Amino acid sequence: MNLIEKDSQYLWHPYTQHKTAALPIAITKGEGALLWDENNKEYVDAIASWWVNPYGHSNKFIADAIYKQLTTLEHVLFGGFTHEPAIVLAEKLLAILPTNQKKVFFSDNGSTSVEVAIKVALQNFYNKGEKRTTIIAFENAFHGDTFAAMAASGISFYTQAFQGMFIDVVRIPVPVEGREQESFDTLKNVIQNHNCAGFIFEPLVQGAAGMVMYKPEALDTLIQICRENKVLTIADEVMTGFGKTGKTFACDYLKEKPDMMCLSKALTGGTIPMAITTFTQDLFDAFYDEDINKALFHGHTFTANPTGCAAALASLTLLETDEMQQNLIRINQNHLEFKKRIEKHPMVTTARVLGVIFALEIKTETSASYYGTLRNRLYDFFIENGVILRPVGNIVYILPPYVITDVQLQKVYEVAEKALEIV
Ligand SMILES: *Cc1c(COP(=O)(O)O)cnc(C)c1O
C-alpha cells in the first residue's frame, strides 16, 4: 500500500466527509513558505497552514530552541511545580500585551483557550454570588470545536448536530460598515434582557467567517457598553495574534482593552500545540480566596509544557526582529497594490486588507455555501497551480507566512486572479 491508501485505511480527517472528499495530499517536506508533496510537487502555503506558521516551515531557529529544551527538561507537571520557560514566557508576553493583562493560564489549543475564558467569565459571577449565565457572541463567529467554544461559534454546519445542548449564548450582529448602530443597539438590548456574564469576539477580523472585517472604533463602543454593564469581555486573538493585523495584537488598535485574551495558532510558530488565556488582576482576585471551591479547577496534562514554552519564546524573538517587522509592512503593501488592481475586476464584489490578511469576495449568482461546488472548484484550481488556498464559500483569502518572498506572493496573486476566469 502507498501512503494515501494507508491513510484511507487508518485515518479520520478533520472537517472531512470521507465519502465525497478528494484524497488528501501527502506532504513530505517544508521550508519557508513552501511545501513539497511525495511526488516532489511544490506548493506555496498561502494560508500559513491554518494561520499557525508565520516564520516559515522547518524554521531552524525555533527547532534549535526546541532541541535545547527537549534535552534539558522536556516536560514536568505544572500542578505544584513550575519552570523557567513558563515564567520567562509569561513575563515576556505580559510585557507586550495590553497593560491590563496580568495573569497567564496555559492550555493546549485555541478551543481550550476559549473554553477557559468562558469558564472564568461564568465562575467569576458564581464566586461573587451573582447569577449571570449568558454569553454574548457575534453572528458567524468561530471560537473552536470544544463544547463552550462551539456554543459561542455561529457557523451553523459546525454545530447543528448539537443544538439544544449548549450553554446560553445570544448573538449580536458584527458591526461591519453600515451595521454599527444595529450592533450597538442589539448589544444593549441583549444585556437588558439576559443575565450576561461575558462577551466573546474575534477582534477586527472574523477568520473562519471569511475574513470579515470591522473597525476598532466600533469594537471600542461595544466593549464600553459591556464595561458599563459589568459584562466581561473576551478577545479571541487565536487567529489575529502575533502580527497578522499589522500590529502585534488586534487589540493594540483599541482604546478599550478586553478583560481576557485568548492566544494560540502562531504562538509557537506552528511547531508545538500550545495556547494561553490571559486575565486582568480583578479576574484573578475573584478566584483568590480561603475557600478552595473558588479556585479555577481547570487544567490539562500538558499545561505549560516546557518545550512548547521554549518554542513560543523563540517565536516571539523572531517576531520582534526588524526583518520580520519589515516583512509585515512589505506584505501589507503588496496586498494593498493587489487589492487596487483586483477590486475593479467584474467578478469581484469587494476586496479587503488588514495587515497581512487579504480577502476577496467573488460575485456569484446564488449564495455560495461554505464547502459548495464553487468553493471546491476554486480549491482544486489552486492546488493544480501549486498554491494552497482554502476558500470559504465565495471568499478567497490569503494569509501567508511572513517569510514569503515577493516572487512567491506574486505567484499567489496571479493564481488567485486567474481563478476568476474559471468561476
Ligand atoms: C482556530 C481558531 C480557534 C480554535 O483553535 P483550535 O486550535 O483549532 O482549537 C478559536 N478561535 C479562533 C478565532 C480561531 O481562529
Side-chain angles (χ1 to χ4, degrees), residues 15 50-51 108-114 142-146 149 202 205 207-208 236-240 264-265:
Y15 309 121
W50 273 343
W51 324 334
D108 309 332
N109 59 70
S111 305
T112 55
S113 74
V114 166
F142 181 73
H143 296 293
D145 293 338
T146 55
E202 294 159 87
V205 190
D236 176 355
E237 292 235 23
V238 169
M239 189 281 283
T240 50
S264 187
K265 293 213 161 105

Side-chain angles (χ1 to χ4, degrees), residues 397-423:
Y397 73 84
I398 303 167
L399 205 173
Y402 307 160
V403 296
I404 193 169
T405 65
D406 280 343
V407 172
Q408 291 161 349
L409 195 51
Q410 290 308 322
K411 176 179 176 177
V412 176
Y413 296 150
E414 267 163 40
V415 172
E417 193 166 356
K418 253 206 268 167
L420 297 173
E421 290 162 23
I422 65 143
V423 178

Side-chain angles (χ1 to χ4, degrees), residues 157-407:
F157 63 83
Y158 279 83
T159 59
Q160 70 192 18
F162 310 101
Q163 289 307 322
M165 303 174 207
F166 291 136
I167 57 165
D168 289 337
V169 174
V170 181
R171 265 168 232 299
I172 65 169
V174 184
V176 291
E177 218 176 316
R179 285 191 85 188
E180 292 95 339
Q181 196 58 45
E182 187 189 346
S183 179
F184 305 156
D185 293 344
T186 313
L187 177 63
K188 286 182 198 160
N189 208 326
V190 166
I191 291 175
Q192 243 164 35
N193 293 300
H194 298 80
N195 297 316
C196 295
F199 167 41
I200 185 165
F201 50 85
E202 294 159 87
L204 308 192
V205 190
Q206 288 188 299
M211 304 298 162
V212 172
M213 297 179 189
Y214 60 97
K215 293 270 172 354
E217 295 76 24
L219 186 52
D220 274 330
T221 304
L222 293 172
I223 294 176
Q224 236 166 23
I225 296 168
C226 285
R227 182 140 308 136
E228 283 159 16
N229 292 280
K230 296 203 172 72
V231 173
L232 296 165
T233 49
I234 305 165
D236 176 355
E237 292 235 23
V238 169
M239 189 281 283
T240 50
F242 305 104
K244 308 242 178 65
T245 63
K247 294 194 190 251
T248 307
F249 301 103
C251 286
D252 294 341
Y253 286 94
L254 301 175
K255 289 199 194 76
E256 301 285 336
K257 304 301 180 186
D259 297 300
M260 299 179 237
M261 290 175 71
C262 304
L263 306 170
S264 187
K265 293 213 161 105
L267 174 63
T268 61
T271 56
I272 291 182
M274 171 166 268
I276 279 175
T277 316
T278 64
F279 304 95
T280 59
Q281 187 67 41
D282 278 357
L283 276 167
F284 182 79
D285 290 347
F287 291 69
Y288 190 80
D289 199 276
E290 300 287 334
D291 182 358
I292 189 165
N293 292 309
K294 290 197 172 169
L296 177 61
F297 276 99
H298 186 103
H300 298 280
T301 313
F302 279 94
T303 291
N305 171 259
T307 314
C309 292
L313 276 166
S315 300
L316 275 181
T317 302
L318 288 176
L319 178 63
E320 286 169 352
T321 58
D322 284 345
E323 189 190 340
M324 212 57 76
Q325 292 298 316
Q326 285 306 314
N327 283 337
L328 293 180
I329 296 167
R330 174 180 60 89
I331 294 169
N332 177 257
Q333 283 166 348
N334 277 302
H335 278 354
L336 289 172
E337 266 166 47
F338 180 50
K339 174 178 183 283
K340 226 193 248 165
R341 183 168 99 229
I342 202 75
E343 67 192 351
K344 297 193 194 97
H345 193 287
M347 289 312 295
V348 172
T349 323
T350 55
R352 44 185 181 261
V353 172
L354 182 66
V356 305
I357 306 169
F358 173 93
L360 70 82
E361 276 189 48
I362 297 177
K363 236 173 240 172
T364 50
E365 313 256 289
T366 51
S367 74
S369 74
Y370 214 87
Y371 282 113
T373 52
L374 168 67
R375 183 266 175 203
N376 289 344
R377 252 191 305 141
L378 289 167
Y379 178 77
D380 293 344
F381 179 81
F382 296 140
I383 291 294
E384 253 168 57
N385 285 277
V387 173
I388 299 178
L389 286 171
R390 284 175 64 96
V392 173
N394 62 329
I395 299 166
V396 176
Y397 73 84
I398 303 167
L399 205 173
Y402 307 160
V403 296
I404 193 169
T405 65
D406 280 343
V407 172

